[in-house]
Structure formats: structure tokens, C-alpha cells
Amino acid sequence: MRAVSAYRTVVVGTDGSESSLRAVARAGALAGACGATLVVTCAYLPPEVDDRELSRAQDVLRDEAYQVVGSHPAEDTVRRAGDAARAAGAGEVRTVAVVGSPVEALLDVVRREDADLLVVGNRGLTGVKGRLLGSVPADATRRSACDVLVVHTTG
């Protein structure tokens, strides 16, 4: 049985928002303190998604649509977040943009990386946005096979 005192691999999700970047900074500081590898993850929908579904997502999300559509914005998002994590103290940082819904993408990365900690912000989407994208903190906490740290990122 391995020691519980330190994490080896930490996964953190980001959508590029200020709120999610606060979670990234906390995960970066924690990973740095533990000597863990930090994997910064952003989920996105492929542009080939059904045009009606894509249009609906863009209508609902308006200015925040960049967060969920296309790999190029997602790759930019994880690159900026990776820089923020390093600035917060993370040593080894890897970035990955993953096709899929936010929770499915995070849980997939957790499995692939054999992570022992998942970090998410507490800001859950409400209203139509929440119905469209789901509540990442609630779903990730309920479904993750590893520890989940929910960082208070609002207020």
C-alpha cells in the first residue's frame, strides 16, 4: 500500500474562465508542494458536431462558446493555464485538450494518467448552461474513482 501523504499525478480541469484559473493555480501550488505531475485539461466539442446542436450551444453560451467548441481554442486555454500552474509552483506540467463533455473528458484523463487527485472549481453552471453542459463539480465528485478537491473559486 502506498503512502497517502503525497499525490503523484494531479489532474485539473479548466475552461479558461477566471474561476477555473483559480482552481488551476491551487492545483499548481499543491502539485509543486507534493512533487506531483500536473495534467491541465480542457474539454471541447469537435466542430463537426451536428450544426443544430453547435448553434444551440453557441446561442446559449454566447461569449463563453469559445470554451467548448473546437480544438484550437481549447489548446490555447490549456497552454495559458499551464503557464499559470507553473507560476503557482507546479514543476512538471502537461497539457491536454480532449474531445467530449467536461466531466467525461476529465474522468477519461484521470483514468489514462492513473491520477490520484482531480481538482475542479466549485463554480457549477446553472440554468440553461447547466442543463446543456452539466455541473462539473457535482458530477466529477460523484463519479471520480480518485480523490477530488473542489476549490472555492467564487466570491
Side-chain angles (χ1 to χ4, degrees):
M1 188 165 154
R2 76 170 199 262
V4 183
S5 62
Y7 294 108
R8 295 171 298 137
T9 304
V10 177
V11 171
V12 63
T14 184
D15 61 8
S17 66
E18 285 303 313
S19 174
S20 74
L21 291 175
R22 285 192 281 279
V24 167
R26 185 68 52 88
L30 183 85
C34 292
T37 298
L38 181 65
V39 182
V40 181
T41 306
C42 180
Y44 68 93
L45 297 176
E48 308 83 50
V49 162
D50 178 293
D51 287 342
R52 286 180 312 235
E53 185 178 331
L54 181 57
S55 177
R56 183 172 147 252
Q58 289 174 325
D59 285 347
V60 169
L61 296 173
R62 299 190 194 283
D63 293 341
E64 296 175 12
Y66 74 91
Q67 298 171 2
V68 295
V69 180
S71 65
H72 184 69
E75 289 164 4
D76 288 345
T77 295
V78 292
R79 188 180 63 251
R80 283 191 310 273
D83 291 343
R86 285 182 196 90
E92 184 180 344
V93 177
R94 290 199 309 272
T95 60
V96 60
V98 182
V99 174
S101 69
V103 173
E104 295 302 326
L106 284 171
L107 295 178
D108 181 53
V109 172
V110 164
R111 280 189 294 273
R112 284 189 313 196
E113 298 287 339
D114 193 26
D116 35 23
L117 180 65
L118 171 62
V119 179
V120 294
N122 72 320
R123 187 191 87 176
L125 297 173
T126 59
V128 178
K129 288 181 188 178
R131 287 194 298 278
L132 181 66
L133 298 176
S135 171
V136 173
D139 292 349
T141 301
R142 188 177 74 252
R143 297 180 50 203
S144 179
C146 70
D147 290 354
V148 178
L149 172 62
V150 179
V151 176
H152 184 75
T153 61
T154 55

